[in-house]
Amino acid sequence: QVQLVESGGGLVQPGGSLRLSCAASGFIFSNYVMSWYRQAPGKEREMVALITSGGYTNYVVSVQGRFTISRDNAKNMVYLQMNSLKPEDTAVYYCNAARPKADGSWVGDYWGQGTQVTVSS
């Protein structure tokens, strides 16, 4: 069965750091684009960062220079290193896996259960 399990969330003070992890199983990990999304109360879910199997990355502007996404295809793991955290980073963070098709659409849109990140003094 497909599983994405996030860990590493918690409470941190502004300016602090957290490292989120996502353990993937049940699918061919190296064939999928992996990404981190987040959703704050009352807001739309937004994509924070993505990484392709070959290592291409992209970030939402608000986290550029502070967050780093990485993956280890041998271990089926995805990470999000979050530095210089701000209160506006507070959200539930979700791991996502999706696979592009030749026609431009996406399949295998899998989600983890989420991990809470709270940035507060």
Side-chain angles (χ1 to χ4, degrees):
Q1 184 174 341
V2 171
Q3 285 195 86
L4 297 173
V5 181
E6 302 97 333
S7 61
L11 175 64
V12 65
Q13 293 185 343
S17 297
L18 285 173
R19 189 196 193 205
L20 306 183
S21 298
C22 173
S25 62
F27 62 98
I28 303 174
F29 182 78
S30 61
N31 289 345
Y32 283 74
V33 174
M34 303 301 298
S35 59
W36 288 95
Y37 285 71
R38 67 186 181 188
Q39 187 167 25
K43 294 186 177 181
E44 296 287 326
R45 187 173 297 188
E46 68 171 349
M47 188 179 71
V48 177
L50 69 80
I51 184 167
T52 68
S53 184
Y56 170 83
T57 60
N58 195 24
Y59 302 88
V60 67
V61 171
S62 61
V63 309
Q64 289 179 355
R66 300 188 297 120
F67 291 10
T68 303
I69 188 171
S70 61
R71 67 190 291 165
D72 186 337
N73 286 345
K75 297 181 178 180
N76 290 2
M77 295 289 294
V78 184
Y79 308 97
L80 186 67
Q81 179 66 46
M82 306 186 295
N83 299 326
S84 301
L85 283 162
K86 304 175 180 179
E88 52 262 44
D89 295 318
T90 296
V92 177
Y93 283 71
Y94 298 91
C95 184
N96 173 268
R99 182 171 60 86
K101 298 200 299 183
D103 64 2
S105 63
W106 295 79
V107 296
D109 195 22
Y110 306 128
W111 295 91
Q113 82 290 341
T115 185
Q116 176 71 49
V117 172
T118 302
V119 184
S120 177
S121 59

mmCIF file with all atom_site columns, all heavy atoms in Angstrom, residues 49-76:
data_model
loop_
_atom_site.group_PDB
_atom_site.id
_atom_site.type_symbol
_atom_site.label_atom_id
_atom_site.label_alt_id
_atom_site.label_comp_id
_atom_site.label_asym_id
_atom_site.label_entity_id
_atom_site.label_seq_id
_atom_site.pdbx_PDB_ins_code
_atom_site.Cartn_x
_atom_site.Cartn_y
_atom_site.Cartn_z
_atom_site.occupancy
_atom_site.B_iso_or_equiv
_atom_site.pdbx_formal_charge
_atom_site.auth_seq_id
_atom_site.auth_comp_id
_atom_site.auth_asym_id
_atom_site.auth_atom_id
_atom_site.pdbx_PDB_model_num
ATOM 1   N N   . ALA A 1 49 ? 7.766  23.524 -1.949  1.00 0.00 ? 49 ALA A N   1
ATOM 2   C CA  . ALA A 1 49 ? 8.975  23.125 -2.653  1.00 0.00 ? 49 ALA A CA  1
ATOM 3   C C   . ALA A 1 49 ? 8.736  21.820 -3.381  1.00 0.00 ? 49 ALA A C   1
ATOM 4   O O   . ALA A 1 49 ? 7.917  21.009 -2.959  1.00 0.00 ? 49 ALA A O   1
ATOM 5   C CB  . ALA A 1 49 ? 10.151 22.967 -1.679  1.00 0.00 ? 49 ALA A CB  1
ATOM 6   N N   . LEU A 1 50 ? 9.451  21.622 -4.476  1.00 0.00 ? 50 LEU A N   1
ATOM 7   C CA  . LEU A 1 50 ? 9.408  20.352 -5.185  1.00 0.00 ? 50 LEU A CA  1
ATOM 8   C C   . LEU A 1 50 ? 10.797 19.947 -5.621  1.00 0.00 ? 50 LEU A C   1
ATOM 9   O O   . LEU A 1 50 ? 11.693 20.781 -5.741  1.00 0.00 ? 50 LEU A O   1
ATOM 10  C CB  . LEU A 1 50 ? 8.455  20.400 -6.388  1.00 0.00 ? 50 LEU A CB  1
ATOM 11  C CG  . LEU A 1 50 ? 8.807  21.258 -7.608  1.00 0.00 ? 50 LEU A CG  1
ATOM 12  C CD1 . LEU A 1 50 ? 9.825  20.568 -8.532  1.00 0.00 ? 50 LEU A CD1 1
ATOM 13  C CD2 . LEU A 1 50 ? 7.543  21.559 -8.405  1.00 0.00 ? 50 LEU A CD2 1
ATOM 14  N N   . ILE A 1 51 ? 10.942 18.665 -5.858  1.00 0.00 ? 51 ILE A N   1
ATOM 15  C CA  . ILE A 1 51 ? 12.204 18.152 -6.366  1.00 0.00 ? 51 ILE A CA  1
ATOM 16  C C   . ILE A 1 51 ? 11.918 16.976 -7.283  1.00 0.00 ? 51 ILE A C   1
ATOM 17  O O   . ILE A 1 51 ? 11.142 16.082 -6.952  1.00 0.00 ? 51 ILE A O   1
ATOM 18  C CB  . ILE A 1 51 ? 13.165 17.760 -5.210  1.00 0.00 ? 51 ILE A CB  1
ATOM 19  C CG1 . ILE A 1 51 ? 14.518 17.308 -5.766  1.00 0.00 ? 51 ILE A CG1 1
ATOM 20  C CG2 . ILE A 1 51 ? 12.550 16.703 -4.307  1.00 0.00 ? 51 ILE A CG2 1
ATOM 21  C CD1 . ILE A 1 51 ? 15.603 17.222 -4.695  1.00 0.00 ? 51 ILE A CD1 1
ATOM 22  N N   . THR A 1 52 ? 12.525 16.992 -8.461  1.00 0.00 ? 52 THR A N   1
ATOM 23  C CA  . THR A 1 52 ? 12.388 15.882 -9.388  1.00 0.00 ? 52 THR A CA  1
ATOM 24  C C   . THR A 1 52 ? 13.390 14.794 -9.045  1.00 0.00 ? 52 THR A C   1
ATOM 25  O O   . THR A 1 52 ? 14.301 14.982 -8.235  1.00 0.00 ? 52 THR A O   1
ATOM 26  C CB  . THR A 1 52 ? 12.608 16.338 -10.828 1.00 0.00 ? 52 THR A CB  1
ATOM 27  O OG1 . THR A 1 52 ? 13.985 16.711 -11.006 1.00 0.00 ? 52 THR A OG1 1
ATOM 28  C CG2 . THR A 1 52 ? 11.711 17.515 -11.184 1.00 0.00 ? 52 THR A CG2 1
ATOM 29  N N   . SER A 1 53 ? 13.225 13.658 -9.689  1.00 0.00 ? 53 SER A N   1
ATOM 30  C CA  . SER A 1 53 ? 14.145 12.561 -9.449  1.00 0.00 ? 53 SER A CA  1
ATOM 31  C C   . SER A 1 53 ? 15.579 12.941 -9.797  1.00 0.00 ? 53 SER A C   1
ATOM 32  O O   . SER A 1 53 ? 16.523 12.485 -9.144  1.00 0.00 ? 53 SER A O   1
ATOM 33  C CB  . SER A 1 53 ? 13.716 11.333 -10.259 1.00 0.00 ? 53 SER A CB  1
ATOM 34  O OG  . SER A 1 53 ? 14.550 10.220 -9.978  1.00 0.00 ? 53 SER A OG  1
ATOM 35  N N   . GLY A 1 54 ? 15.735 13.778 -10.819 1.00 0.00 ? 54 GLY A N   1
ATOM 36  C CA  . GLY A 1 54 ? 17.056 14.209 -11.239 1.00 0.00 ? 54 GLY A CA  1
ATOM 37  C C   . GLY A 1 54 ? 17.640 15.353 -10.447 1.00 0.00 ? 54 GLY A C   1
ATOM 38  O O   . GLY A 1 54 ? 18.779 15.754 -10.710 1.00 0.00 ? 54 GLY A O   1
ATOM 39  N N   . GLY A 1 55 ? 16.884 15.900 -9.491  1.00 0.00 ? 55 GLY A N   1
ATOM 40  C CA  . GLY A 1 55 ? 17.420 16.916 -8.613  1.00 0.00 ? 55 GLY A CA  1
ATOM 41  C C   . GLY A 1 55 ? 17.011 18.344 -8.916  1.00 0.00 ? 55 GLY A C   1
ATOM 42  O O   . GLY A 1 55 ? 17.465 19.266 -8.229  1.00 0.00 ? 55 GLY A O   1
ATOM 43  N N   . TYR A 1 56 ? 16.185 18.568 -9.930  1.00 0.00 ? 56 TYR A N   1
ATOM 44  C CA  . TYR A 1 56 ? 15.660 19.905 -10.168 1.00 0.00 ? 56 TYR A CA  1
ATOM 45  C C   . TYR A 1 56 ? 14.762 20.312 -9.014  1.00 0.00 ? 56 TYR A C   1
ATOM 46  O O   . TYR A 1 56 ? 13.931 19.524 -8.560  1.00 0.00 ? 56 TYR A O   1
ATOM 47  C CB  . TYR A 1 56 ? 14.879 19.962 -11.478 1.00 0.00 ? 56 TYR A CB  1
ATOM 48  C CG  . TYR A 1 56 ? 14.110 21.244 -11.663 1.00 0.00 ? 56 TYR A CG  1
ATOM 49  C CD1 . TYR A 1 56 ? 14.730 22.380 -12.170 1.00 0.00 ? 56 TYR A CD1 1
ATOM 50  C CD2 . TYR A 1 56 ? 12.759 21.326 -11.321 1.00 0.00 ? 56 TYR A CD2 1
ATOM 51  C CE1 . TYR A 1 56 ? 14.026 23.565 -12.329 1.00 0.00 ? 56 TYR A CE1 1
ATOM 52  C CE2 . TYR A 1 56 ? 12.053 22.505 -11.479 1.00 0.00 ? 56 TYR A CE2 1
ATOM 53  C CZ  . TYR A 1 56 ? 12.688 23.628 -11.987 1.00 0.00 ? 56 TYR A CZ  1
ATOM 54  O OH  . TYR A 1 56 ? 11.986 24.802 -12.146 1.00 0.00 ? 56 TYR A OH  1
ATOM 55  N N   . THR A 1 57 ? 14.907 21.552 -8.530  1.00 0.00 ? 57 THR A N   1
ATOM 56  C CA  . THR A 1 57 ? 14.107 22.041 -7.416  1.00 0.00 ? 57 THR A CA  1
ATOM 57  C C   . THR A 1 57 ? 13.420 23.342 -7.762  1.00 0.00 ? 57 THR A C   1
ATOM 58  O O   . THR A 1 57 ? 13.868 24.100 -8.630  1.00 0.00 ? 57 THR A O   1
ATOM 59  C CB  . THR A 1 57 ? 14.965 22.253 -6.159  1.00 0.00 ? 57 THR A CB  1
ATOM 60  O OG1 . THR A 1 57 ? 15.994 23.218 -6.437  1.00 0.00 ? 57 THR A OG1 1
ATOM 61  C CG2 . THR A 1 57 ? 15.605 20.956 -5.711  1.00 0.00 ? 57 THR A CG2 1
ATOM 62  N N   . ASN A 1 58 ? 12.329 23.608 -7.058  1.00 0.00 ? 58 ASN A N   1
ATOM 63  C CA  . ASN A 1 58 ? 11.623 24.865 -7.185  1.00 0.00 ? 58 ASN A CA  1
ATOM 64  C C   . ASN A 1 58 ? 10.976 25.177 -5.841  1.00 0.00 ? 58 ASN A C   1
ATOM 65  O O   . ASN A 1 58 ? 10.560 24.264 -5.124  1.00 0.00 ? 58 ASN A O   1
ATOM 66  C CB  . ASN A 1 58 ? 10.577 24.798 -8.288  1.00 0.00 ? 58 ASN A CB  1
ATOM 67  C CG  . ASN A 1 58 ? 10.080 26.172 -8.709  1.00 0.00 ? 58 ASN A CG  1
ATOM 68  O OD1 . ASN A 1 58 ? 10.769 27.174 -8.536  1.00 0.00 ? 58 ASN A OD1 1
ATOM 69  N ND2 . ASN A 1 58 ? 8.884  26.226 -9.281  1.00 0.00 ? 58 ASN A ND2 1
ATOM 70  N N   . TYR A 1 59 ? 10.878 26.470 -5.523  1.00 0.00 ? 59 TYR A N   1
ATOM 71  C CA  . TYR A 1 59 ? 10.359 26.919 -4.242  1.00 0.00 ? 59 TYR A CA  1
ATOM 72  C C   . TYR A 1 59 ? 9.386  28.067 -4.416  1.00 0.00 ? 59 TYR A C   1
ATOM 73  O O   . TYR A 1 59 ? 9.526  28.878 -5.338  1.00 0.00 ? 59 TYR A O   1
ATOM 74  C CB  . TYR A 1 59 ? 11.489 27.409 -3.328  1.00 0.00 ? 59 TYR A CB  1
ATOM 75  C CG  . TYR A 1 59 ? 12.558 26.393 -3.042  1.00 0.00 ? 59 TYR A CG  1
ATOM 76  C CD1 . TYR A 1 59 ? 13.660 26.252 -3.877  1.00 0.00 ? 59 TYR A CD1 1
ATOM 77  C CD2 . TYR A 1 59 ? 12.473 25.569 -1.920  1.00 0.00 ? 59 TYR A CD2 1
ATOM 78  C CE1 . TYR A 1 59 ? 14.645 25.322 -3.612  1.00 0.00 ? 59 TYR A CE1 1
ATOM 79  C CE2 . TYR A 1 59 ? 13.456 24.640 -1.645  1.00 0.00 ? 59 TYR A CE2 1
ATOM 80  C CZ  . TYR A 1 59 ? 14.536 24.521 -2.492  1.00 0.00 ? 59 TYR A CZ  1
ATOM 81  O OH  . TYR A 1 59 ? 15.513 23.592 -2.211  1.00 0.00 ? 59 TYR A OH  1
ATOM 82  N N   . VAL A 1 60 ? 8.444  28.158 -3.506  1.00 0.00 ? 60 VAL A N   1
ATOM 83  C CA  . VAL A 1 60 ? 7.622  29.346 -3.447  1.00 0.00 ? 60 VAL A CA  1
ATOM 84  C C   . VAL A 1 60 ? 8.516  30.507 -2.987  1.00 0.00 ? 60 VAL A C   1
ATOM 85  O O   . VAL A 1 60 ? 9.455  30.315 -2.206  1.00 0.00 ? 60 VAL A O   1
ATOM 86  C CB  . VAL A 1 60 ? 6.423  29.148 -2.491  1.00 0.00 ? 60 VAL A CB  1
ATOM 87  C CG1 . VAL A 1 60 ? 6.875  29.020 -1.050  1.00 0.00 ? 60 VAL A CG1 1
ATOM 88  C CG2 . VAL A 1 60 ? 5.396  30.245 -2.662  1.00 0.00 ? 60 VAL A CG2 1
ATOM 89  N N   . VAL A 1 61 ? 8.256  31.692 -3.513  1.00 0.00 ? 61 VAL A N   1
ATOM 90  C CA  . VAL A 1 61 ? 9.123  32.831 -3.267  1.00 0.00 ? 61 VAL A CA  1
ATOM 91  C C   . VAL A 1 61 ? 9.330  33.088 -1.780  1.00 0.00 ? 61 VAL A C   1
ATOM 92  O O   . VAL A 1 61 ? 10.436 33.437 -1.342  1.00 0.00 ? 61 VAL A O   1
ATOM 93  C CB  . VAL A 1 61 ? 8.572  34.088 -3.964  1.00 0.00 ? 61 VAL A CB  1
ATOM 94  C CG1 . VAL A 1 61 ? 9.342  35.337 -3.528  1.00 0.00 ? 61 VAL A CG1 1
ATOM 95  C CG2 . VAL A 1 61 ? 8.643  33.924 -5.472  1.00 0.00 ? 61 VAL A CG2 1
ATOM 96  N N   . SER A 1 62 ? 8.299  32.909 -0.983  1.00 0.00 ? 62 SER A N   1
ATOM 97  C CA  . SER A 1 62 ? 8.361  33.251 0.428   1.00 0.00 ? 62 SER A CA  1
ATOM 98  C C   . SER A 1 62 ? 9.353  32.421 1.237   1.00 0.00 ? 62 SER A C   1
ATOM 99  O O   . SER A 1 62 ? 9.721  32.813 2.347   1.00 0.00 ? 62 SER A O   1
ATOM 100 C CB  . SER A 1 62 ? 6.972  33.141 1.062   1.00 0.00 ? 62 SER A CB  1
ATOM 101 O OG  . SER A 1 62 ? 6.481  31.821 0.970   1.00 0.00 ? 62 SER A OG  1
ATOM 102 N N   . VAL A 1 63 ? 9.799  31.284 0.708   1.00 0.00 ? 63 VAL A N   1
ATOM 103 C CA  . VAL A 1 63 ? 10.745 30.445 1.445   1.00 0.00 ? 63 VAL A CA  1
ATOM 104 C C   . VAL A 1 63 ? 12.106 30.365 0.776   1.00 0.00 ? 63 VAL A C   1
ATOM 105 O O   . VAL A 1 63 ? 13.019 29.726 1.322   1.00 0.00 ? 63 VAL A O   1
ATOM 106 C CB  . VAL A 1 63 ? 10.203 29.021 1.669   1.00 0.00 ? 63 VAL A CB  1
ATOM 107 C CG1 . VAL A 1 63 ? 8.805  29.059 2.266   1.00 0.00 ? 63 VAL A CG1 1
ATOM 108 C CG2 . VAL A 1 63 ? 10.223 28.205 0.382   1.00 0.00 ? 63 VAL A CG2 1
ATOM 109 N N   . GLN A 1 64 ? 12.271 31.002 -0.359  1.00 0.00 ? 64 GLN A N   1
ATOM 110 C CA  . GLN A 1 64 ? 13.549 30.956 -1.066  1.00 0.00 ? 64 GLN A CA  1
ATOM 111 C C   . GLN A 1 64 ? 14.667 31.510 -0.193  1.00 0.00 ? 64 GLN A C   1
ATOM 112 O O   . GLN A 1 64 ? 14.526 32.556 0.428   1.00 0.00 ? 64 GLN A O   1
ATOM 113 C CB  . GLN A 1 64 ? 13.471 31.734 -2.380  1.00 0.00 ? 64 GLN A CB  1
ATOM 114 C CG  . GLN A 1 64 ? 12.626 31.058 -3.440  1.00 0.00 ? 64 GLN A CG  1
ATOM 115 C CD  . GLN A 1 64 ? 12.538 31.867 -4.723  1.00 0.00 ? 64 GLN A CD  1
ATOM 116 O OE1 . GLN A 1 64 ? 13.022 32.986 -4.813  1.00 0.00 ? 64 GLN A OE1 1
ATOM 117 N NE2 . GLN A 1 64 ? 11.901 31.286 -5.735  1.00 0.00 ? 64 GLN A NE2 1
ATOM 118 N N   . GLY A 1 65 ? 15.757 30.786 -0.155  1.00 0.00 ? 65 GLY A N   1
ATOM 119 C CA  . GLY A 1 65 ? 16.894 31.177 0.664   1.00 0.00 ? 65 GLY A CA  1
ATOM 120 C C   . GLY A 1 65 ? 16.825 30.687 2.087   1.00 0.00 ? 65 GLY A C   1
ATOM 121 O O   . GLY A 1 65 ? 17.817 30.789 2.818   1.00 0.00 ? 65 GLY A O   1
ATOM 122 N N   . ARG A 1 66 ? 15.675 30.167 2.508   1.00 0.00 ? 66 ARG A N   1
ATOM 123 C CA  . ARG A 1 66 ? 15.504 29.684 3.874   1.00 0.00 ? 66 ARG A CA  1
ATOM 124 C C   . ARG A 1 66 ? 15.259 28.181 3.946   1.00 0.00 ? 66 ARG A C   1
ATOM 125 O O   . ARG A 1 66 ? 15.704 27.524 4.886   1.00 0.00 ? 66 ARG A O   1
ATOM 126 C CB  . ARG A 1 66 ? 14.345 30.408 4.559   1.00 0.00 ? 66 ARG A CB  1
ATOM 127 C CG  . ARG A 1 66 ? 14.519 31.918 4.650   1.00 0.00 ? 66 ARG A CG  1
ATOM 128 C CD  . ARG A 1 66 ? 13.439 32.552 5.514   1.00 0.00 ? 66 ARG A CD  1
ATOM 129 N NE  . ARG A 1 66 ? 12.104 32.367 4.946   1.00 0.00 ? 66 ARG A NE  1
ATOM 130 C CZ  . ARG A 1 66 ? 11.107 31.730 5.564   1.00 0.00 ? 66 ARG A CZ  1
ATOM 131 N NH1 . ARG A 1 66 ? 11.288 31.227 6.778   1.00 0.00 ? 66 ARG A NH1 1
ATOM 132 N NH2 . ARG A 1 66 ? 9.919  31.619 4.978   1.00 0.00 ? 66 ARG A NH2 1
ATOM 133 N N   . PHE A 1 67 ? 14.534 27.637 2.968   1.00 0.00 ? 67 PHE A N   1
ATOM 134 C CA  . PHE A 1 67 ? 14.190 26.218 2.948   1.00 0.00 ? 67 PHE A CA  1
ATOM 135 C C   . PHE A 1 67 ? 14.989 25.504 1.866   1.00 0.00 ? 67 PHE A C   1
ATOM 136 O O   . PHE A 1 67 ? 15.281 26.075 0.808   1.00 0.00 ? 67 PHE A O   1
ATOM 137 C CB  . PHE A 1 67 ? 12.707 26.010 2.654   1.00 0.00 ? 67 PHE A CB  1
ATOM 138 C CG  . PHE A 1 67 ? 11.768 26.447 3.742   1.00 0.00 ? 67 PHE A CG  1
ATOM 139 C CD1 . PHE A 1 67 ? 12.199 27.184 4.832   1.00 0.00 ? 67 PHE A CD1 1
ATOM 140 C CD2 . PHE A 1 67 ? 10.422 26.103 3.661   1.00 0.00 ? 67 PHE A CD2 1
ATOM 141 C CE1 . PHE A 1 67 ? 11.316 27.584 5.824   1.00 0.00 ? 67 PHE A CE1 1
ATOM 142 C CE2 . PHE A 1 67 ? 9.536  26.492 4.647   1.00 0.00 ? 67 PHE A CE2 1
ATOM 143 C CZ  . PHE A 1 67 ? 9.979  27.233 5.727   1.00 0.00 ? 67 PHE A CZ  1
ATOM 144 N N   . THR A 1 68 ? 15.303 24.246 2.114   1.00 0.00 ? 68 THR A N   1
ATOM 145 C CA  . THR A 1 68 ? 15.981 23.410 1.135   1.00 0.00 ? 68 THR A CA  1
ATOM 146 C C   . THR A 1 68 ? 15.317 22.042 1.086   1.00 0.00 ? 68 THR A C   1
ATOM 147 O O   . THR A 1 68 ? 15.204 21.369 2.113   1.00 0.00 ? 68 THR A O   1
ATOM 148 C CB  . THR A 1 68 ? 17.466 23.239 1.468   1.00 0.00 ? 68 THR A CB  1
ATOM 149 O OG1 . THR A 1 68 ? 18.109 24.512 1.547   1.00 0.00 ? 68 THR A OG1 1
ATOM 150 C CG2 . THR A 1 68 ? 18.155 22.402 0.392   1.00 0.00 ? 68 THR A CG2 1
ATOM 151 N N   . ILE A 1 69 ? 14.878 21.638 -0.104  1.00 0.00 ? 69 ILE A N   1
ATOM 152 C CA  . ILE A 1 69 ? 14.310 20.312 -0.291  1.00 0.00 ? 69 ILE A CA  1
ATOM 153 C C   . ILE A 1 69 ? 15.388 19.396 -0.852  1.00 0.00 ? 69 ILE A C   1
ATOM 154 O O   . ILE A 1 69 ? 16.223 19.817 -1.658  1.00 0.00 ? 69 ILE A O   1
ATOM 155 C CB  . ILE A 1 69 ? 13.077 20.343 -1.217  1.00 0.00 ? 69 ILE A CB  1
ATOM 156 C CG1 . ILE A 1 69 ? 12.378 18.981 -1.244  1.00 0.00 ? 69 ILE A CG1 1
ATOM 157 C CG2 . ILE A 1 69 ? 13.446 20.807 -2.621  1.00 0.00 ? 69 ILE A CG2 1
ATOM 158 C CD1 . ILE A 1 69 ? 11.033 18.997 -1.971  1.00 0.00 ? 69 ILE A CD1 1
ATOM 159 N N   . SER A 1 70 ? 15.385 18.154 -0.416  1.00 0.00 ? 70 SER A N   1
ATOM 160 C CA  . SER A 1 70 ? 16.335 17.173 -0.913  1.00 0.00 ? 70 SER A CA  1
ATOM 161 C C   . SER A 1 70 ? 15.677 15.798 -0.911  1.00 0.00 ? 70 SER A C   1
ATOM 162 O O   . SER A 1 70 ? 14.626 15.594 -0.302  1.00 0.00 ? 70 SER A O   1
ATOM 163 C CB  . SER A 1 70 ? 17.621 17.171 -0.080  1.00 0.00 ? 70 SER A CB  1
ATOM 164 O OG  . SER A 1 70 ? 17.348 16.848 1.272   1.00 0.00 ? 70 SER A OG  1
ATOM 165 N N   . ARG A 1 71 ? 16.299 14.858 -1.614  1.00 0.00 ? 71 ARG A N   1
ATOM 166 C CA  . ARG A 1 71 ? 15.760 13.500 -1.641  1.00 0.00 ? 71 ARG A CA  1
ATOM 167 C C   . ARG A 1 71 ? 16.897 12.502 -1.726  1.00 0.00 ? 71 ARG A C   1
ATOM 168 O O   . ARG A 1 71 ? 17.984 12.805 -2.225  1.00 0.00 ? 71 ARG A O   1
ATOM 169 C CB  . ARG A 1 71 ? 14.792 13.303 -2.810  1.00 0.00 ? 71 ARG A CB  1
ATOM 170 C CG  . ARG A 1 71 ? 15.433 13.359 -4.186  1.00 0.00 ? 71 ARG A CG  1
ATOM 171 C CD  . ARG A 1 71 ? 14.377 13.410 -5.289  1.00 0.00 ? 71 ARG A CD  1
ATOM 172 N NE  . ARG A 1 71 ? 13.650 12.154 -5.406  1.00 0.00 ? 71 ARG A NE  1
ATOM 173 C CZ  . ARG A 1 71 ? 12.506 12.016 -6.082  1.00 0.00 ? 71 ARG A CZ  1
ATOM 174 N NH1 . ARG A 1 71 ? 11.946 13.084 -6.670  1.00 0.00 ? 71 ARG A NH1 1
ATOM 175 N NH2 . ARG A 1 71 ? 11.914 10.829 -6.153  1.00 0.00 ? 71 ARG A NH2 1
ATOM 176 N N   . ASP A 1 72 ? 16.627 11.314 -1.241  1.00 0.00 ? 72 ASP A N   1
ATOM 177 C CA  . ASP A 1 72 ? 17.561 10.205 -1.310  1.00 0.00 ? 72 ASP A CA  1
ATOM 178 C C   . ASP A 1 72 ? 16.806 9.055  -1.955  1.00 0.00 ? 72 ASP A C   1
ATOM 179 O O   . ASP A 1 72 ? 16.010 8.384  -1.302  1.00 0.00 ? 72 ASP A O   1
ATOM 180 C CB  . ASP A 1 72 ? 18.066 9.834  0.079   1.00 0.00 ? 72 ASP A CB  1
ATOM 181 C CG  . ASP A 1 72 ? 19.158 8.781  0.043   1.00 0.00 ? 72 ASP A CG  1
ATOM 182 O OD1 . ASP A 1 72 ? 19.251 8.027  -0.943  1.00 0.00 ? 72 ASP A OD1 1
ATOM 183 O OD2 . ASP A 1 72 ? 19.940 8.711  1.015   1.00 0.00 ? 72 ASP A OD2 1
ATOM 184 N N   . ASN A 1 73 ? 17.031 8.843  -3.246  1.00 0.00 ? 73 ASN A N   1
ATOM 185 C CA  . ASN A 1 73 ? 16.286 7.822  -3.974  1.00 0.00 ? 73 ASN A CA  1
ATOM 186 C C   . ASN A 1 73 ? 16.606 6.410  -3.490  1.00 0.00 ? 73 ASN A C   1
ATOM 187 O O   . ASN A 1 73 ? 15.777 5.514  -3.602  1.00 0.00 ? 73 ASN A O   1
ATOM 188 C CB  . ASN A 1 73 ? 16.563 7.936  -5.475  1.00 0.00 ? 73 ASN A CB  1
ATOM 189 C CG  . ASN A 1 73 ? 15.860 9.115  -6.107  1.00 0.00 ? 73 ASN A CG  1
ATOM 190 O OD1 . ASN A 1 73 ? 14.950 9.710  -5.518  1.00 0.00 ? 73 ASN A OD1 1
ATOM 191 N ND2 . ASN A 1 73 ? 16.269 9.467  -7.319  1.00 0.00 ? 73 ASN A ND2 1
ATOM 192 N N   . ALA A 1 74 ? 17.798 6.212  -2.956  1.00 0.00 ? 74 ALA A N   1
ATOM 193 C CA  . ALA A 1 74 ? 18.174 4.897  -2.445  1.00 0.00 ? 74 ALA A CA  1
ATOM 194 C C   . ALA A 1 74 ? 17.421 4.547  -1.175  1.00 0.00 ? 74 ALA A C   1
ATOM 195 O O   . ALA A 1 74 ? 17.227 3.372  -0.864  1.00 0.00 ? 74 ALA A O   1
ATOM 196 C CB  . ALA A 1 74 ? 19.675 4.825  -2.207  1.00 0.00 ? 74 ALA A CB  1
ATOM 197 N N   . LYS A 1 75 ? 17.006 5.561  -0.420  1.00 0.00 ? 75 LYS A N   1
ATOM 198 C CA  . LYS A 1 75 ? 16.315 5.343  0.845   1.00 0.00 ? 75 LYS A CA  1
ATOM 199 C C   . LYS A 1 75 ? 14.834 5.687  0.798   1.00 0.00 ? 75 LYS A C   1
ATOM 200 O O   . LYS A 1 75 ? 14.142 5.555  1.810   1.00 0.00 ? 75 LYS A O   1
ATOM 201 C CB  . LYS A 1 75 ? 16.983 6.158  1.954   1.00 0.00 ? 75 LYS A CB  1
ATOM 202 C CG  . LYS A 1 75 ? 18.416 5.756  2.239   1.00 0.00 ? 75 LYS A CG  1
ATOM 203 C CD  . LYS A 1 75 ? 19.004 6.592  3.369   1.00 0.00 ? 75 LYS A CD  1
ATOM 204 C CE  . LYS A 1 75 ? 20.421 6.171  3.689   1.00 0.00 ? 75 LYS A CE  1
ATOM 205 N NZ  . LYS A 1 75 ? 21.002 6.975  4.787   1.00 0.00 ? 75 LYS A NZ  1
ATOM 206 N N   . ASN A 1 76 ? 14.343 6.137  -0.355  1.00 0.00 ? 76 ASN A N   1
ATOM 207 C CA  . ASN A 1 76 ? 12.939 6.554  -0.500  1.00 0.00 ? 76 ASN A CA  1
ATOM 208 C C   . ASN A 1 76 ? 12.571 7.618  0.531   1.00 0.00 ? 76 ASN A C   1
ATOM 209 O O   . ASN A 1 76 ? 11.530 7.547  1.193   1.00 0.00 ? 76 ASN A O   1
ATOM 210 C CB  . ASN A 1 76 ? 11.995 5.357  -0.385  1.00 0.00 ? 76 ASN A CB  1
ATOM 211 C CG  . ASN A 1 76 ? 12.077 4.418  -1.567  1.00 0.00 ? 76 ASN A CG  1
ATOM 212 O OD1 . ASN A 1 76 ? 12.865 4.607  -2.483  1.00 0.00 ? 76 ASN A OD1 1
ATOM 213 N ND2 . ASN A 1 76 ? 11.247 3.381  -1.544  1.00 0.00 ? 76 ASN A ND2 1
#
